Amino acid sequence: MLRYLVQKYNTPDHWYPADLQKRARVDEYLAWQHTNTRPHGCRVFWVKFMTPAIMGIEAAPDKLNHVLAEFRDIMTQFEEKFLQDRPFLTGDEISLADLVAIVEIMQVLAGGIPIFEERPKLKAWKQRVEKAIGPELFREAHEEIISIKEKQHNLLNDEAKEQFKGRLLLFTNCGMWLC
């Protein structure tokens, strides 16, 4: 959908470059992220934040550590394969790949994991993304996810919690969620 919007609204070239090599880097990350950054970031968020909010208990430390170790491995791959020594994922300018990546990683931060503090290279990249987008827009885009802990008690009504509990228990029994 993002590629469609970029082309339909004739956005600046850096978002989805006409240069085939740069465009291939955007496409490569977008193909990689939905089986790497997305599920692992989401899993950290659910195990660290959502599951305790729904179930009323913290995740077992060994289970949380396992999920965090997997996410940290993905972040190492992200830094080594995609970011490398470039300011942004495709080079000197921000692209769709950077936008998609930052959204996934911000979930982990919202879950209470100081991922940027642990990784100086990732922190510097985040700061460049924020500067390129503009601090105000960056804050606005991530406001809901970052403030979720403050809204935790009003997040779900009791009926919704019960529905999620049933699903979480099913997933846990299947071995899909490690909590």
Side-chain angles (χ1 to χ4, degrees), residues 34-53:
H34 71 88
T35 57
N36 292 283
T37 318
R38 171 166 289 200
H40 288 90
C42 182
R43 198 169 185 187
V44 169
F45 180 73
W46 270 88
V47 171
K48 178 73 172 129
F49 177 75
M50 288 300 293
T51 301

Side-chain angles (χ1 to χ4, degrees), residues 101-117:
I102 196 69
V103 168
E104 301 298 347
I105 298 168
M106 291 300 284
Q107 281 188 103
V108 175
L109 183 69
I113 306 300
I115 193 67
F116 297 110
E117 299 308 315

Side-chain angles (χ1 to χ4, degrees), residues 92-136:
D92 293 331
E93 294 183 287
I94 193 169
S95 72
L96 287 179
D98 297 286
L99 287 184
V100 171
I102 196 69
V103 168
E104 301 298 347
I105 298 168
M106 291 300 284
Q107 281 188 103
V108 175
L109 183 69
I113 306 300
I115 193 67
F116 297 110
E117 299 308 315
E118 299 171 1
R119 304 182 90 87
K121 187 175 187 177
L122 193 65
K123 182 179 182 177
W125 166 77
K126 177 205 175 248
Q127 290 169 339
R128 288 188 296 272
V129 170
E130 186 173 355
K131 184 177 179 185
I133 295 169
E136 209 169 294

Side-chain angles (χ1 to χ4, degrees), residues 3-179:
R3 289 179 268 211
Y4 165 78
L5 292 171
V6 163
Q7 292 174 342
K8 177 173 174 135
Y9 293 104
N10 197 26
T11 60
D13 185 67
H14 64 87
W15 292 114
Y16 194 56
D19 176 274
L20 291 180
Q21 284 186 316
K22 287 182 180 179
R23 181 174 283 203
R25 290 209 44 84
V26 172
D27 289 338
E28 179 184 24
Y29 178 75
L30 294 177
W32 182 84
Q33 72 87 28
H34 71 88
T35 57
N36 292 283
T37 318
R38 171 166 289 200
H40 288 90
C42 182
R43 198 169 185 187
V44 169
F45 180 73
W46 270 88
V47 171
K48 178 73 172 129
F49 177 75
M50 288 300 293
T51 301
I54 293 166
M55 302 298 282
I57 57 170
E58 295 296 319
D62 61 323
K63 304 300 182 178
L64 178 59
N65 289 338
H66 177 76
V67 171
L68 288 171
E70 287 181 335
F71 184 75
R72 287 182 176 111
D73 287 346
I74 293 300
M75 288 296 92
T76 298
Q77 292 175 41
F78 175 84
E79 288 176 337
E80 291 173 359
K81 180 170 179 44
F82 294 101
L83 189 54
Q84 297 174 355
D85 291 323
R86 294 186 291 258
F88 296 100
L89 298 181
T90 59
D92 293 331
E93 294 183 287
I94 193 169
S95 72
L96 287 179
D98 297 286
L99 287 184
V100 171
I102 196 69
V103 168
E104 301 298 347
I105 298 168
M106 291 300 284
Q107 281 188 103
V108 175
L109 183 69
I113 306 300
I115 193 67
F116 297 110
E117 299 308 315
E118 299 171 1
R119 304 182 90 87
K121 187 175 187 177
L122 193 65
K123 182 179 182 177
W125 166 77
K126 177 205 175 248
Q127 290 169 339
R128 288 188 296 272
V129 170
E130 186 173 355
K131 184 177 179 185
I133 295 169
E136 209 169 294
L137 183 56
F138 188 89
R139 231 179 344 272
E140 181 183 335
H142 297 101
E143 184 176 358
E144 288 297 317
I145 192 74
I146 295 301
S147 65
I148 198 161
K149 279 192 173 196
E150 298 160 10
K151 299 174 184 178
Q152 178 176 347
H153 300 295
N154 300 326
L155 191 60
L156 297 170
N157 63 34
D158 290 338
E159 183 180 338
K161 280 185 183 180
E162 287 304 313
Q163 288 177 345
F164 275 117
K165 277 183 187 179
R167 289 183 184 162
L168 285 171
L169 290 172
L170 175 66
F171 285 138
T172 302
N173 292 336
C174 299
M176 294 176 72
W177 287 102
L178 299 173
C179 50

